[in-house]
Amino acid sequence: MTTTPSPVTAPPTQRRLEDLSEEERNDAFDRLQARLPQVWRATRTNDPRESVVVVPSMSLDRMVPGSGALNRAMEERFLFMLLLLRQPRLKLIYVTSMPVDPAVIEYYLSLLPGIIPSHARARLSLVSVGDSSATPLTEKLLARPRLVHQIRELVPDRAFSHLVPYNTTTLERDLSLLVGIPMFGPDPRLFPIGTKTGSRQVFGAAGISHPLGFNDLRTMDEIVAALARLRADRPRATAAMVKLNEGVAGAGNAEVQLVGLPPVGDAAERNALRDRVHDMTLEGTGVDVPMFLDAMRRKAGIVEERITGEELRSPSVQLRITPMGEVELYSTHDQILGGPTGQSYLGCRFPADPAYAGVISADAWKVGEVLAERGVVGRFAIDFVVSRSDGQWTSDAIEINLRRGGTTHPFLTLQFLTDGRYDAESSRFLTPTGDERHLVATDHFSDPSLMGLRIADLFDLVAVSGMHFDHARERGVVLHMMSGITELGALGMTAVGATADEASERFADAEVRLRAEAREALEPQPLG
């Protein structure tokens, strides 16, 4: 009897990322993110399966592209995350565009309190793409599937791991899907909340004070009409801000002067306002007014009143929303600003002045509750302007930074080093022994002479001068962004002291010592 062989059934073909539509990718991401609360509850439990994948990609839409050297320094700004290795069983996978100098890694591991550096190094996996271009890191990874697979294989157990990005876009969503771990950060579909227009809408929903303004503007006619309405509502306004929805660190802001214009409603007012827009002062470097207006047409933006007063300050509040929807207030900072209109972020002081820290914290908490209701997860910051008139401080919320920012790494560095916490009620940071700590930090200490130094020279200076962070006294200076010193003549640092004055003094002393060392390095040497 002859039998007919059964047909061989081919194994089902697994679908690839490129086979999925946007809707299917979002559905898959939702399923992955549903695991995040379980992963979160397992953190800090000393489970050997726990791991964190850090991808510090600057996936930002910039009018003027950054340089590869700047991107590299910004990626290394996140190396404070290595301090998580103080958890004795945690494994950390840290991804960068280019390899990090081993001396820099050793420097960070030396900061770990109570941990043997070699033990921490064995639990650290460093992955680099080998691509020094200015392309965002996540984009580089997605173009290299084998490398992404290698990162996936480094994760000991994907049920106990999560991805930590700098900011979240569809690129980070796709990377999360490929590695197979949830992401601790806002869903990219919530991106509009973090725009200038979205921020103002959230402030309205939270019922907190924010500048008079007008949203979702694109054309010159809309900008001029908004300025005219602002003048009608605020006859004494001396200036207004025009802001791109997606501006970063003040680079998408411009100031329009309103003094000396025709009267409100005058037939000549609109043309005069149009001229003022063409002459507005741009905060971003390498940008001109036509470029700015073109970006406004593509991305939209806002016009709002510029807050004035006898004294102005620009504090911020840092919060976190956990995967369980809990709002946590982490810190307050006084931002150090500069630039043509005084809106470029240069650094910060922590904590913010107690005179208004409680006020902005209360407003920030209201915003956090609105964002939690809308499903936001992760760290974010809210910027304010506080003004003093007749001895009284009043606050206005300015924008939501729905990502990690310039105040994140200084605060977390201090927290990881001291195991302390910010007490919102007293507006103080306290160590476990009840000692107060303050910091002054910058990402922008720059001087052309610094290009004469190498990273090894930095560490020589730190060792000889006594600048290094002292664990016994919980004071000192921590450096970051060190790879930028030879190409950019710049680096970052965080100075910690027991008082605000001591932190400022340590910061100033470090600046003086670094400049002196740089000048000495550039002294001509005699012929050999």
Side-chain angles (χ1 to χ4, degrees):
M1 180 177 179
T2 306
T3 58
T4 305
S6 300
V8 177
T9 304
T13 303
Q14 289 188 326
R15 300 184 74 186
R16 299 171 300 176
L17 181 67
E18 54 265 36
D19 298 327
L20 303 181
S21 65
E22 276 295 298
E23 183 179 357
E24 290 171 321
R25 293 185 192 196
N26 284 329
D27 288 343
F29 183 67
D30 287 339
R31 291 191 294 272
L32 196 57
Q33 289 298 94
R35 288 171 25 197
L36 190 57
Q38 178 184 348
V39 174
W40 194 259
R41 281 189 284 267
T43 59
R44 299 182 183 274
T45 58
N46 211 23
D47 193 307
R49 296 169 292 180
E50 185 187 352
S51 66
V52 176
V53 179
V54 181
V55 181
S57 177
M58 303 291 290
S59 304
L60 303 169
D61 184 14
R62 299 176 181 272
M63 281 189 292
V64 179
S67 67
L70 179 59
N71 269 18
R72 180 179 178 183
M74 294 297 284
E75 289 171 12
E76 294 182 17
R77 184 174 73 166
F78 238 45
L79 282 169
F80 75 91
M81 292 290 289
L82 269 59
L83 300 179
L84 283 174
L85 292 167
R86 66 181 298 180
Q87 301 174 48
R89 295 198 172 189
L90 177 74
K91 294 178 177 63
L92 188 72
I93 298 114
Y94 196 98
V95 187
T96 54
S97 292
M98 294 296 291
V100 182
D101 190 313
V104 172
I105 299 299
E106 184 179 349
Y107 171 77
Y108 278 97
L109 297 183
S110 74
L111 292 169
L112 287 167
I115 295 292
I116 300 169
S118 60
H119 187 272
R121 183 64 184 86
R123 293 180 282 113
L124 171 64
S125 297
L126 297 170
V127 179
S128 61
V129 180
D131 180 346
S132 63
S133 70
T135 304
L137 173 58
T138 311
E139 190 174 333
K140 295 173 185 177
L141 291 172
L142 294 176
R144 296 166 172 86
R146 179 179 290 178
L147 183 55
V148 174
H149 179 74
Q150 290 169 353
I151 294 170
R152 178 186 173 104
E153 290 299 300
L154 288 170
V155 176
D157 189 329
R158 290 193 293 278
F160 289 82
S161 183
H162 65 281
L163 174 69
V164 177
Y166 171 76
N167 66 313
T168 55
T169 69
T170 55
L171 297 176
E172 285 69 37
R173 175 205 63 189
D174 289 351
L175 181 62
S176 179
L177 292 173
L178 288 170
V179 179
I181 58 176
M183 177 172 69
F184 183 55
D187 188 318
R189 286 168 286 184
L190 299 176
F191 172 81
I193 291 175
T195 64
K196 301 299 187 296
T197 291
S199 296
R200 291 178 52 81
Q201 291 168 343
V202 170
F203 298 151
I208 66 172
S209 179
H210 55 288
L212 172 68
F214 307 93
N215 306 334
D216 272 330
L217 310 175
R218 292 184 183 272
T219 67
M220 172 66 86
D221 287 343
E222 290 173 341
I223 295 170
V224 168
L227 290 169
R229 290 174 61 190
L230 191 151
R231 290 190 75 215
D233 291 341
R234 295 283 194 273
R236 295 184 179 179
T238 58
M241 301 305 303
V242 183
K243 299 180 179 181
L244 300 177
N245 263 345
E246 300 177 31
V248 177
N253 296 354
E255 183 180 52
V256 177
Q257 293 297 322
L258 300 180
V259 176
L261 288 166
V264 173
D266 189 277
E269 181 189 21
R270 294 297 177 101
N271 283 338
L273 284 171
R274 188 179 296 269
D275 291 340
R276 291 293 175 89
V277 172
H278 283 299
D279 291 336
M280 61 186 174
T281 303
L282 303 177
E283 185 65 30
T285 57
V287 181
D288 58 25
V289 171
M291 289 171 63
F292 186 96
L293 294 175
D294 180 64
M296 195 90 168
R297 281 189 289 272
R298 290 184 288 106
K299 301 290 186 179
I302 65 169
V303 163
E304 67 182 14
E305 172 188 16
R306 176 139 202 185
I307 302 298
T308 58
E310 295 170 7
E311 183 179 359
L312 293 176
R313 295 186 189 174
S314 299
S316 68
V317 181
Q318 214 179 120
L319 301 97
R320 181 176 79 174
I321 300 176
T322 72
M324 279 69 76
E326 302 158 333
V327 180
E328 299 174 342
L329 194 147
Y330 258 72
S331 61
T332 61
H333 297 79
D334 278 317
Q335 299 183 91
I336 302 169
L337 304 179
T341 68
Q343 297 193 62
S344 291
Y345 178 81
L346 301 179
C348 65
R349 296 182 178 89
F350 165 80
D353 192 322
Y356 45 77
V359 174
I360 61 175
S361 294
D363 282 350
W365 188 269
K366 294 176 184 177
V367 172
E369 289 181 322
V370 171
L371 296 186
E373 289 173 1
R374 298 186 183 184
V376 170
V377 171
R379 291 185 182 274
F380 60 95
I382 304 164
D383 292 343
F384 292 83
V385 168
V386 294
S387 57
R388 182 162 64 178
S389 297
D390 299 325
Q392 297 294 316
W393 289 100
T394 58
S395 72
D396 285 276
I398 299 298
E399 66 178 286
I400 300 169
N401 295 306
L402 209 58
R403 53 177 167 76
R404 288 159 175 79
T407 59
T408 305
H409 53 283
F411 170 75
L412 288 180
T413 298
L414 177 61
Q415 185 182 54
F416 290 159
L417 287 174
T418 65
D419 206 23
R421 66 179 185 87
Y422 177 68
D423 179 57
E425 189 172 335
S426 65
S427 304
R428 297 186 301 161
F429 182 88
L430 302 174
T431 68
T433 57
D435 295 322
E436 197 169 333
R437 288 295 178 267
H438 295 253
L439 68 78
V440 179
T442 185
D443 294 336
H444 302 279
F445 175 58
S446 61
D447 190 309
S449 66
L450 291 175
M451 288 188 282
L453 297 177
R454 299 170 303 151
I455 290 174
D457 298 322
L458 286 178
F459 294 149
D460 283 343
L461 176 62
V462 165
V464 172
S465 68
M467 285 167 49
H468 194 49
F469 186 84
D470 184 338
H471 280 294
R473 303 176 67 230
E474 295 183 320
R475 305 174 192 181
V477 175
V478 178
L479 303 177
H480 60 272
M481 299 176 70
M482 287 171 273
S483 69
I485 193 164
T486 53
E487 278 193 70
L488 304 172
L491 77 160
M493 59 183 174
T494 299
V496 178
T499 65
D501 286 344
E502 184 191 346
S504 295
E505 288 165 7
R506 288 182 178 275
F507 185 88
D509 178 68
E511 284 188 316
V512 169
R513 290 179 184 275
L514 283 164
R515 285 197 169 95
E517 186 75 10
R519 286 195 298 270
E520 184 178 330
L522 293 178
E523 282 293 321
Q525 299 295 308
L527 296 175

